Amino acid sequence: MSGIANVFKKLFGLINGIRKILLNVIFFFLFGILIVVMFAGDEPILVPENGVLVVQLRGNLVEEKTWVDPMDSFFSEAFGSDSTPLETLLSDVVESIDKAKDDPRISGIHLDLASFTGGGMNKMKQVGEALTRFRESGKPIYSYGDYYSQSQYFLAAHGDNLYLNPLGSMMFEGVGGYQLYFKDLLNKLKVSTHVFKVGAYKSAVEPYTRNDMSEQAREASAELYDALWTDYLNSLKQLREIDPRLLSGSIEDFKAMLADSNEDMAQMTINGGLVDELLTREEFRSQMINLTGLDEDEKSWRKISHTHYLDAQLPPLTDTKAKNEIAIVVARGVIVDGYQKAGSIGGDSTAALLRKARLNDATKAVVLRIDSPGGSGFASEVIRQEVLELQKAGIPVIASMSSVAASGGYWIAAHADQIWAAPTTVTGSIGVFGMFFTIEDSLAHVGIYSDGYKTTEMPAMDITRPLSEGAADIVQSSIDKFYRDFVSMVAEGRDMSYDEVHEVAQGRVWTGAKAQELGLVDRLGDLDEAIAAAAELANISDYKTVTVQPELNARERFLRDLFGEAQVFLPVGESQRTIDPMKQQLMGVWRELQLTSKFNDPNGVYLLCEVCPIP
């Protein structure tokens, strides 16, 4: 026994020694970071003379970045981990391009799109408009890609010089897509699905009740996606002269183009007018060195990333001395109950941001920037109530819709003084559904049963027991009332009759342009136009815009300051992390499955758009 005890004693000593070594390594690593930050001082980031601004779009283009713990973010960046979401802040991209336009040190732009996955047509158009302003200043834009996705190509097409790797390719895939349906799976698992909804086009629950798309859902999707695709093509045709066969979406046309190019996809992009020249990576690098001169330290061309460029000491675009403020509150993601970090809309947390703006004496107007397919009905109402409180305080509210503001996203906008949307915004989806699962048959299949005694028949829903007819009636009546409240609330906010709203509601989704025709939207325009409208409503001309941020606790502030400063010292190179198409599709499946984890409405009532992308 003593021999066994000695073995375990030595094993424990070994494990304990390894633990101490690891803790010491981590401690000295963090201590080293702290020393670097402390003694680095305020040495400014240098913008190279005759340098090129590298606009590096990584992952999704977003209105607000998903909150990630600063320590996790730093280590992911330092060690090349892909555990944190790849996202690029839209405002950073536009601001850097606009500043570089008038900066004599910046000679041009390089669009680095290798890691870009998209992010909504309206957001890409805002970047495109900034690139157009840059080109009008007389400075060139260069784009190089090993291949281009549809989203990548839209931005690349704004450049003066568009290059592709000789082994590269590009094809237009259209918009829309396919989703998974789980009815047979749930049947095999003996899970009972209970669905309650109002609205012929409210098809968010179809994946759990059908094995295919309903005709109403197909009709709504066809009208929406056809309009979005037409807008994409029309925008692209204004940028480049492209062979119509490449834009037709026909496999036969594509095969004919490929045959004419000797089955060479890269050569087909030249013949079809997609790109200007085929260059290897080294040929592109050499060309850029010839244009900017050699950076002796980096042994490459003179450049600075748009994120480092924003950290450089540059004069602000707006007057920060203005006393009046227009508060911007960003509502991005699925709407869920409670307090949520950035990347999801919490009913309580977003309401707190609106309240913070209201209690600030400098706030003269609020722009609620919405990028959401909806979610919890209860949380949506909590947010809308704060919009009403702002108006009671005499503070006008403008709802500015980004890529999507549908269902619950429309609910929180409906009572704003004005609603602005982009022509390609996905909005509407005025409908309600409730859904939950019971597993009494699943339990019985493995020999588990639920029984007991209660003095009442409440609560009406128990996951382990069948849903009674009376309970189903109660749920359906509450869903019916919620829909009537939704339509009535929209009618009141939009100065329309109940019947007028009901006719365009029923869960139907619309583009922003169509929604304006139907009376659901006041004006078409992006965030800048919405801010100008807010200033006009508030009758102010001297103001600054302030994005309202949640309060951080002491730990979060310390980590942000420490690791935020430390990240400045990490090298920022060109994107090497290209997007794996298979991984993208698998992540799409995972997002669909994960969406059910956000169903936390206390009443089980949801205002969620089924065809809307989750930003």
Side-chain angles (χ1 to χ4, degrees), residues 202-217:
K202 197 66 181 174
S203 53
V205 296
E206 285 189 358
Y208 309 99
T209 61
R210 298 176 58 96
N211 289 322
D212 58 0
M213 177 182 281
S214 69
E215 287 307 311
Q216 292 94 334

Side-chain angles (χ1 to χ4, degrees), residues 23-65:
L23 287 175
N24 284 332
V25 168
I26 293 171
F27 170 78
F28 283 112
F29 181 75
L30 294 177
F31 183 73
I33 292 173
L34 183 62
I35 294 297
V36 169
V37 171
M38 288 175 61
F39 288 96
D42 295 323
E43 183 179 346
I45 295 174
L46 298 178
V47 179
E49 293 295 333
N50 197 39
V52 168
L53 179 72
V54 179
V55 177
Q56 188 179 72
L57 275 65
R58 308 176 69 222
N60 282 340
L61 197 58
V62 296
E63 299 282 352
E64 174 188 61
K65 283 192 172 183

Side-chain angles (χ1 to χ4, degrees), residues 318-480:
T318 57
D319 180 11
T320 56
K321 296 180 181 178
K323 294 182 179 179
N324 297 325
E325 292 181 0
I326 292 180
I328 300 174
V329 175
V330 178
R332 177 210 161 205
V334 176
I335 302 174
V336 293
D337 194 39
Y339 284 86
Q340 304 294 327
K341 296 291 187 181
S344 290
I345 304 173
D348 293 332
S349 48
T350 302
L353 296 179
L354 292 168
R355 191 179 311 115
K356 183 178 178 181
R358 172 165 56 88
L359 298 178
N360 179 7
D361 291 338
T363 301
K364 304 305 177 187
V366 170
V367 175
L368 179 58
R369 182 65 167 171
I370 304 168
D371 203 8
S372 171
S376 163
F378 182 83
S380 299
E381 176 59 12
V382 168
I383 296 169
R384 188 186 71 92
Q385 288 169 7
E386 278 300 326
V387 171
L388 297 178
E389 291 300 320
L390 280 160
Q391 293 168 324
K392 288 179 185 177
I395 301 173
V397 181
I398 299 287
S400 173
M401 297 177 170
S402 184
S403 299
V404 56
S407 212
Y410 190 85
W411 180 288
I412 65 178
H415 259 90
D417 294 276
Q418 291 181 11
I419 298 178
W420 286 67
T424 56
T425 296
V426 180
T427 188
S429 192
I430 300 170
V432 186
F433 76 89
M435 181 179 70
F436 68 95
F437 305 101
T438 57
I439 58 171
E440 68 279 3
D441 291 334
S442 303
L443 294 174
H445 187 66
V446 295
I448 300 174
Y449 302 90
S450 171
D451 198 5
Y453 172 79
K454 285 195 67 177
T455 57
T456 72
E457 296 181 36
M458 305 298 177
M461 293 176 286
D462 183 335
I463 190 174
T464 66
R465 301 183 64 78
L467 184 70
S468 70
E469 183 177 343
D473 290 341
I474 292 173
V475 176
Q476 185 62 58
S477 65
S478 68
I479 297 295
D480 291 340

Side-chain angles (χ1 to χ4, degrees), residues 112-127:
D112 180 4
L113 304 169
S115 300
F116 179 52
T117 55
M121 190 63 183
N122 75 301
K123 299 188 190 78
M124 294 196 296
K125 279 189 172 183
Q126 288 181 69
V127 175

